[in-house]
Amino acid sequence: ASPLSAKPSAYRVDEKVTSKQDATTYNNFYEFGTGKADPAQNSAAFKPLPWTITVGGLVNKPQTIDMETILKDFPMEERIYRMRCVEAWSMVIPWIGFPLSALLDRVEPLGSAKYVAFETVVRPKEMPGQSGFFQPLDWPYVEGLRLDEARHPLTLLATGLYGETLPNQNGAPIRLVTPWKYGFKGIKSIVKITLTEKEPPSTWNRLAPQEYGFYANVNPAVDHPRWSQATERRIGEASGLFGGARMNTLPFNGYADQVAGLYAGMDLRKFY
Amino acid sequence: MATFAVPPRYRAASVWALYALGLLPGFYAFYLGIYGGLGADPVREFEHRLGFWALRFLCLGLAVTPLRDLFGTNLIAYRRALGLIAFYYVLAHFAVYLTLDRGLILSSILGDILKRPYIMLGMAGLLMLIPLALTSNRWSIRKLGSRWNTLHKLAYPILLAAVLHYVLSIKSITLEPVIYLAIVTALVGYRVVRPRIMDWKRGRRLLAR
């Protein structure tokens, strides 16, 4: 990771930021292994540069953009967001990035576009989780958003954190951040973005549809079938083993006033 | 078949050594937890390590009989210690769940136990272990006679509950849970075929006479 400058933005939660050490060594990125420490340990061989993203599908101006152009053309801002994992732990992370809507504006979605599909890179030689006998997921990792969710001002394409470019284990060189949704929606190391008419597949939903929905909005009232989502443990709050009390999980991870309107009239128990 | 056994005069000392060695990983994990050596989520890591050690010692305890039957290795003198070490790890795992993990918030704990199959399995395993731990002494063996053997067959449902508790708690199947499932299947499966194996061995012994 190298230094990355960004202007501060108004999007910042007033909570203690998780230590960089914790945010960069406690990760879910199954392409590098299923253990929390695996991504930091197994991602040294991954080459995030050079990199291009292909944006296409139902758009007027399909294009392939390289990272240099992205960093030059889109003004980077720092945003401090809560991050809530579906496994009931959470962090507060200072991301650097730009709104996904800015990228969408550039490719001009057609009127028929209703969804945005994302795809992670597949490089078994650099990503040990993608090779071998036992592979936990089908590759590539895919995710999706409804177009209005993708255009929401909170939705960020992140290129850095803690004042630096993204480390490999956090999804270098570019990833999605949707702070009102569970962390697995934040697809990492994106190579392809496609505008579609139909709801695109998402990796965890495909693996266990009863457990992980397409929407995956943080919701303390709808439990994961196997564990409660009512509370969470904030990483780094405990000193050693003690003092890390669980805190209540907030609807839409505390962003309800900004995003609840996207789901007006929807039964969130059904569309979890 | 060659028979392996620890000489009687070292037996008591070796059993105590097993207790010390067996409980060491738990104390070491606690030490790491206190001094920040368990990563970003130390409570979860500590809880999981205790659970894994419980599962490992349950497996070891149930491996004693097949080892004797098939390889002539007699570790029966250590079986009680293996079972009790597993029980202590289960108790510690449960205590960490109640206190450090759920913070003794009873509504959340009761909700967990009543709604979640993997927690129910864990609880069932713990409850079944209690009578076994309480009767793991010579007085109970004498008092209960053949009923003691019947009671201690509970070890098999306990092991099944333990491994399912683990497998159902994870997000996706990887190599590790498959290995544990395979070991447990072999141990429980052996029980099913054991009568036939013993018959066959008895038959061979008769023929050899």
Side-chain angles (χ1 to χ4, degrees):
Chain A
S2 50
L4 182 63
S5 61
K7 64 175 179 12
S9 84
Y11 293 99
R12 49 201 308 127
V13 294
D14 198 15
E15 286 167 38
K16 195 180 133 213
V17 170
T18 302
S19 77
K20 182 176 153 192
Q21 165 73 16
D22 284 349
T24 57
T25 56
Y26 194 77
N27 307 104
N28 278 323
F29 196 173
Y30 281 20
E31 281 82 345
F32 294 113
T34 55
K36 296 283 180 288
D38 288 349
Q41 279 166 15
N42 301 338
S43 62
F46 183 73
K47 291 181 200 69
L49 290 174
W51 193 271
T52 58
I53 300 188
T54 302
V55 192
L58 302 173
V59 297
N60 262 327
K61 295 181 175 165
Q63 50 196 285
T64 297
I65 315 173
D66 60 48
M67 268 317 280
E68 266 182 11
T69 309
I70 286 174
L71 291 170
K72 185 162 60 72
D73 288 3
F74 298 100
M76 296 294 148
E77 46 183 290
E78 184 177 74
R79 298 184 175 193
I80 303 176
Y81 281 164
R82 286 182 214 95
M83 212 283 296
R84 168 64 156 80
C85 179
V86 74
E87 297 165 0
W89 53 264
S90 62
M91 295 184 180
V92 176
I93 300 176
W95 300 104
I96 293 171
F98 62 100
L100 172 60
S101 63
L103 180 70
L104 294 175
D105 287 344
R106 184 174 171 132
V107 297
E108 297 176 10
L110 300 175
S112 53
K114 298 281 181 292
Y115 293 91
V116 184
F118 303 86
E119 204 175 298
T120 295
V121 73
V122 179
R123 289 188 192 167
K125 286 202 178 117
E126 296 175 25
M127 301 176 124
Q130 289 181 337
S131 58
F133 185 58
F134 255 94
Q135 295 187 28
L137 301 171
D138 280 337
W139 317 114
Y141 194 97
V142 290
E143 259 304 342
L145 294 172
R146 225 167 52 190
L147 186 56
D148 58 342
E149 297 177 316
R151 282 194 180 286
H152 192 277
L154 278 172
T155 303
L156 197 70
L157 278 175
T159 55
L161 40 67
Y162 299 87
E164 297 178 354
T165 56
L166 284 177
N168 290 344
Q169 62 269 31
N170 293 81
I174 188 164
R175 63 169 290 169
L176 182 68
V177 179
T178 46
W180 72 96
K181 293 174 178 287
Y182 292 119
F184 68 84
K185 290 297 282 187
I187 183 168
K188 302 183 176 91
S189 306
I190 299 168
V191 286
K192 201 167 157 192
I193 298 178
T194 311
L195 283 281
T196 64
E197 198 175 351
K198 292 210 174 84
E199 185 182 288
S202 55
T203 290
W204 282 99
N205 176 252
R206 216 163 39 186
L207 183 83
Q210 325 75 9
E211 303 193 350
Y212 311 97
F214 172 78
Y215 286 93
N217 293 320
V218 174
N219 191 343
V222 176
D223 285 343
H224 185 281
R226 290 182 286 144
W227 56 82
S228 164
Q229 295 291 23
T231 61
E232 65 201 52
R233 191 160 42 237
R234 183 59 58 79
I235 297 298
E237 286 299 286
S239 60
L241 287 174
F242 304 102
R246 301 186 81 89
M247 49 199 279
N248 288 331
T249 292
L250 301 170
F252 298 105
N253 202 22
Y255 298 94
D257 54 340
Q258 294 165 72
V259 299
L262 292 171
Y263 311 100
M266 281 175 71
D267 179 358
L268 296 179
R269 294 197 161 274
K270 198 171 153 212
F271 299 98
Y272 50 89
Chain B
M1 201 184 284
T3 305
F4 164 85
V6 174
R9 63 192 164 120
Y10 297 126
R11 204 163 285 156
S14 62
V15 169
W16 286 112
L18 176 57
Y19 276 111
L21 207 65
L23 294 172
L24 196 66
F27 286 109
Y28 180 60
F30 184 73
Y31 162 83
L32 286 180
I34 295 288
Y35 291 100
L38 291 182
D41 197 349
V43 171
R44 184 193 189 102
E45 178 68 21
F46 185 46
E47 190 177 352
H48 287 183
R49 285 196 189 194
L50 294 171
F52 272 118
W53 283 108
L55 184 54
R56 287 172 194 143
F57 275 98
L58 284 174
C59 290
L60 287 173
L62 289 174
V64 167
T65 296
L67 278 179
R68 189 182 49 178
D69 291 353
L70 304 174
F71 304 103
T73 307
N74 190 350
L75 298 175
I76 197 91
Y78 303 98
R79 194 166 61 178
R80 176 192 300 167
L82 293 170
L84 282 174
I85 291 169
F87 177 65
Y88 298 142
Y89 275 117
V90 170
L91 276 186
H93 176 68
F94 182 60
V96 169
Y97 164 74
L98 288 183
T99 57
L100 300 179
D101 186 343
R102 310 312 303 192
L104 281 177
I105 299 166
L106 277 179
S107 56
S108 128
I109 295 163
L110 280 175
D112 252 4
I113 293 174
L114 295 175
K115 272 194 285 187
R116 324 238 170 261
Y118 87 98
I119 304 261
M120 277 191 255
L121 282 163
M123 280 302 299
L126 169 60
L127 290 177
M128 288 189 281
L129 263 174
I130 292 170
L132 301 205
L134 289 177
T135 57
S136 64
N137 51 67
R138 262 179 224 157
W139 181 81
S140 298
I141 296 172
R142 230 176 300 128
K143 199 85 185 153
L144 290 170
S146 69
R147 283 173 301 166
W148 188 92
N149 272 319
T150 313
L151 177 66
H152 279 248
K153 294 238 162 44
L154 270 180
Y156 291 91
I158 288 167
L159 182 61
L160 282 172
V163 81
L164 290 175
H165 168 69
Y166 162 47
V167 170
L168 290 178
S169 74
I170 52 180
K171 266 165 65 191
S172 64
I173 294 291
T174 55
L175 188 57
E176 204 175 14
V178 170
I179 291 174
Y180 279 104
L181 269 176
I183 292 172
V184 170
T185 307
L187 289 172
V188 176
Y190 176 74
R191 270 287 143 176
V192 179
V193 297
R194 184 172 186 245
R196 252 172 278 168
I197 291 180
M198 298 316 278
D199 279 351
W200 175 77
K201 282 179 82 171
R202 230 170 279 136
R204 280 214 327 180
R205 231 175 291 143
L206 283 174
L207 278 178
R209 234 178 244 174

